[in-house]
Amino acid sequence: MNIKVLEEMEQTVLLLEEVKTHLRIDIEDEDQYLKVLVAAAIDFCENFTGRAISNKRIEIILDAFPTDNIKILWYPIKSVNKVTYIDQKGVLKELDDSNYQSILDVEPPVIIPKTSWPQGTVNTPGAVRIEALAGYERVPKSIKEALLLLVGHFYENREVMRERYVRGSEIPFSVSALLYPYKVLRW
C-alpha cells in the first residue's frame, strides 16, 4: 500500500497570529518565514505520528483488491471519495459506492465490500486506487502544542549544528512526549 498526496488543502491547523503570539513577535517582517516553519512543523509531526494532521486529498494505491477489508494505514480519514480499479481488459472502472462501506471512525479506518470485491481485476502495481480526504476536523491540543513548540525551536535554531552537540539544538523531548500518544504503531 502506497499513499500519495494529491492536494494539500489550505493550512488551518495553526494560524499565523497564534504562532506570533506564542513567539511574542509583533512585527510582520518574518510572516512568510513563519509560514514555512509551520509547514515544516506539520510535516515533522505527520511523519513522527503517521497521521494526517492538516487536511489533504490523498490516493491510496494497491496492487489488487485484498481478500477481505481494505485497512487504510494513514488516518484520520474524513471521507472516501472514490474507488477505481483496472479490470482484466485494462479498462479503468469506478466502483459504485453502494458496493462498499467505509468505516472511518475506527483505527485503522476500513473499507468493507458489501458482497465481494470485483472479480477479474488485473494484478499489476497500482491497479486499485482509493481517493480520500484525510486530516483532523479538530486537531488535538497536544499535537497543536507540539507544533507551536517545534515552530519555536525552528525559529530559535535556524542553522544546522555541525562540529559538536550544542545544548538545545536537537528537537525538544517535550515535542515527542506530546506526540507519542498519537503515534501510529505498525507491526
Side-chain angles (χ1 to χ4, degrees):
M1 174 181 298
N2 291 316
I3 297 174
K4 179 169 78 172
V5 176
L6 299 174
E7 177 186 7
E8 294 273 353
M9 307 298 179
E10 183 179 348
Q11 188 280 117
T12 58
V13 176
L14 280 182
L15 301 176
L16 184 59
E17 289 308 312
E18 289 177 284
V19 173
K20 290 173 78 171
T21 299
H22 176 76
L23 297 175
R24 298 183 181 128
I25 298 174
D26 297 331
I27 57 175
E28 297 177 4
D29 295 356
E30 299 198 70
D31 286 1
Q32 286 305 102
Y33 181 61
L34 291 174
K35 289 177 184 178
V36 170
L37 295 182
V38 168
I42 290 171
D43 282 349
F44 176 90
C45 291
E46 287 182 339
N47 289 324
F48 183 90
T49 62
R51 294 176 181 270
I53 293 169
S54 64
N55 293 327
K56 51 189 61 71
R57 194 168 54 89
I58 63 169
E59 184 175 58
I60 298 115
I61 304 167
L62 306 168
D63 294 342
F65 283 109
T67 55
D68 56 358
N69 305 333
I70 297 173
K71 294 178 182 168
I72 303 173
L73 300 179
W74 203 35
Y75 34 97
I77 300 293
K78 292 181 176 185
S79 65
V80 172
N81 302 336
K82 67 180 176 179
V83 177
T84 58
Y85 65 96
I86 300 173
D87 70 8
Q88 285 290 0
K89 296 177 184 173
V91 177
L92 180 67
K93 294 188 175 181
E94 185 171 341
L95 190 61
D96 189 88
D97 61 2
S98 65
N99 293 325
Y100 60 88
Q101 178 184 6
S102 303
I103 302 174
L104 306 177
D105 59 349
V106 297
E107 291 187 3
V110 293
I111 304 172
I112 302 170
K114 294 246 174 130
T115 54
S116 65
W117 294 116
Q119 300 300 312
T121 58
V122 66
N123 190 2
T124 188
V128 177
R129 295 176 182 253
I130 302 158
E131 186 181 302
L133 181 61
Y136 281 101
E137 287 290 333
R138 173 181 273 146
V139 177
K141 291 176 184 173
S142 295
I143 293 176
K144 199 165 185 173
E145 183 61 24
L147 288 167
L148 286 168
L149 290 172
L150 271 175
V151 171
H153 176 77
F154 294 157
Y155 186 76
E156 290 298 319
N157 298 282
R158 295 179 183 216
E159 301 298 323
V160 175
M161 302 299 178
R162 295 191 185 171
E163 305 289 319
R164 60 188 180 87
Y165 168 78
V166 176
R167 184 169 174 78
S169 64
E170 62 184 25
I171 299 300
F173 169 74
S174 56
V175 171
S176 56
L178 289 165
L179 293 176
Y180 201 83
Y182 298 96
K183 190 171 181 68
V184 176
L185 300 175
R186 297 188 175 99
W187 307 105

